[in-house]
Amino acid sequence: MKQQAQLELADVKRIAAAAESHATSHGWAVTIAIVDGGGHLLWLQRLDGAPPISAQIAPAKAHTAALGRRESKVYEDIINQGRTSFLSAPGVQGLLEGGVPILVDGQCIGAVGVSGVKSIEDAEIAKAGIAAL
């Protein structure tokens, strides 16, 4: 039987604080979502000035990254390269860059999704949060 690390509340708070710090240091108003390995929401934080829709998009990006075990940008690229049929995949949302999986010992234990600025900047914020682990 395999054993797998799990995110604890202290980990989630550390990720969120680092992501928030990175975003605010650049003046970026975003929403930060953190999910567990099954894509279940553990944290949602909408910074002042972040667009209301970002509170829907960030968790969707995180969910997609956790379930797919890869960055959500992979799916955006698939669609942009012409495989639009992927849009019909069941239960998959947030097919935009900005969802990044949290990998420990080769296992996905969760993901961070960010929305509110350019997608590449969203991913940068998510990665800054994960780096705090």
Side-chain angles (χ1 to χ4, degrees):
M1 181 179 296
K2 285 187 179 183
Q3 293 189 13
Q4 181 174 333
Q6 289 185 340
L7 289 172
E8 294 183 338
L9 182 57
D11 302 320
V12 172
K13 288 180 177 181
R14 193 171 356 170
I15 293 166
E20 177 184 358
S21 177
H22 190 80
T24 57
S25 73
H26 288 85
W28 295 336
V30 298
T31 295
I32 301 159
I34 304 170
V35 301
D36 66 13
H40 303 99
L41 189 62
L42 299 173
W43 186 272
L44 182 68
Q45 179 177 3
R46 188 171 142 212
L47 302 182
D48 293 341
I53 196 166
S54 67
Q56 298 292 319
I57 296 171
K61 289 179 178 183
H63 182 262
T64 294
L67 293 182
R69 312 298 201 235
R70 62 191 62 159
E71 290 193 36
S72 55
K73 183 182 185 336
V74 170
Y75 302 108
E76 180 179 4
D77 290 345
I78 288 169
I79 293 162
N80 286 342
Q81 292 168 6
R83 190 166 181 213
T84 56
S85 63
F86 193 81
L87 291 168
S88 68
V92 181
Q93 302 173 10
L95 303 172
L96 303 165
E97 183 175 9
V100 180
I102 303 168
L103 302 172
V104 175
D105 296 329
Q107 298 291 316
C108 180
I109 63 166
V112 179
V114 178
S115 178
V117 287
K118 294 177 185 173
S119 290
I120 195 166
E121 295 164 345
D122 289 341
E124 179 182 324
I125 295 165
K127 290 173 184 175
I130 294 167
L133 287 181

